[in-house]
Amino acid sequence: MLPATLKPLALALLAALPLLAQAQLSGNIGLTSNYKGRGQDQDTAKTRAVKPALQGGLDYAFGTTGFYLGNWNSTVHWLPGNAIETDLYGGYKFKAGEVDLDAGLMTYIYPGNSLGNTTEAYGAASFGPVSVKYSHTLSRDYFNYAGPGLKGRNTGYLNLALAQEVAPRITLKAALGFTRFGGVISSPDYVDYSLGGSYDLGSGLALGAALVGANKKAFYGSANQSRVIVSLSKAL
């Protein structure tokens, strides 16, 4: 007989079995010549344009329910004592007519230096090749922009993106983002951009190239410098 404390967990697992049976697991791995997050270099220890980063993750979809969980990781170098970014997220996807909607939570974790840890709520909508996504900071600080003990909560990030196949295996991609800082963060709000495309090599392999950067370079320096970034990814 199960102890009383385990009965609720057992009942929850039994209820979840039909969902687990339909679950779909997918993964990805990739290598990029420079990892930029919202237009800014995530390796600030080097000034050169090429700063290779290894990336990859897993996504777990609960059948046709619309619910999903995921994890994504990348090598980084912008916080002392930290060398990796780990993202955990989960949400719900659904449709409203011909519009695809998505809402969820994401936490960015930096093992070895928790000052950068950030949690956001997000909502996204896509119609054909166009998508828009807004992320809102729920954690006390936003990637340590405010600093220890200070508040960067309510920082918002809006991103408008386009992904359109223009020829067999060739997809044009463009994105424009805007960061609006909240709390006591004194850094100037800024715009980031990306323009490029990808080529489907087959068997889950894709080659990408894009010009990525952001404005306000007088304040942010080389971190916002425009870079031509080349990436190779593999769907697992």
Side-chain angles (χ1 to χ4, degrees):
M1 181 177 293
L2 283 173
T5 54
L6 293 182
K7 286 183 179 179
L9 177 59
L11 291 173
L13 289 174
L14 287 173
L17 284 177
L19 296 179
L20 293 174
Q22 303 176 59
Q24 299 171 342
L25 182 66
S26 60
N28 59 86
I29 189 169
L31 179 66
T32 181
S33 62
N34 189 338
Y35 170 32
K36 276 185 174 288
R38 299 177 178 176
Q40 297 195 356
D41 289 358
Q42 299 302 290
D43 185 343
T44 57
K46 305 166 186 171
T47 56
R48 61 178 185 266
V50 178
K51 310 173 185 181
L54 182 63
Q55 303 174 331
L58 294 170
D59 289 287
Y60 195 74
F62 291 88
T64 58
T65 66
F67 290 100
Y68 63 90
L69 295 172
N71 161 248
W72 187 82
N73 312 274
S74 178
T75 53
V76 295
H77 200 304
W78 62 274
L79 282 168
N82 166 257
I84 189 169
E85 172 189 323
T86 294
D87 302 344
L88 301 175
Y89 53 89
Y92 177 64
K93 295 181 179 180
F94 58 103
K95 294 183 73 71
E98 297 184 6
V99 179
D100 294 307
L101 300 173
D102 182 10
L105 293 172
M106 175 175 282
T107 295
Y108 302 83
I109 302 171
Y110 299 89
N113 195 328
S114 62
L115 290 176
N117 292 359
T118 301
T119 297
E120 296 179 331
Y122 60 84
S126 60
F127 180 77
V130 179
S131 64
V132 59
K133 181 177 181 180
Y134 176 72
S135 302
H136 193 84
T137 305
L138 303 179
S139 52
R140 181 180 179 86
D141 200 358
Y142 174 82
F143 300 106
N144 197 38
Y145 269 78
L150 300 176
K151 289 185 178 180
R153 188 175 292 141
N154 294 325
T155 293
Y157 178 71
L158 181 66
N159 182 266
L160 178 66
L162 169 73
Q164 177 67 57
E165 186 176 26
V166 294
R169 297 194 173 193
I170 299 176
T171 299
L172 174 68
K173 297 181 179 181
L176 190 66
F178 174 67
T179 298
R180 178 197 57 77
F181 290 109
V184 300
I185 296 175
S186 59
S187 301
D189 301 343
Y190 70 95
V191 173
D192 67 89
Y193 50 85
S194 175
L195 179 62
S198 65
Y199 180 74
D200 183 359
L201 298 170
S203 301
L205 274 173
L207 179 65
L211 176 68
V212 184
N215 70 344
K216 301 296 177 71
K217 296 179 182 65
F219 179 86
Y220 292 100
S222 62
N224 281 22
Q225 186 66 40
S226 300
R227 311 283 192 191
V228 174
I229 297 177
V230 178
S231 61
L232 181 66
S233 61
K234 166 72 174 175
L236 304 176

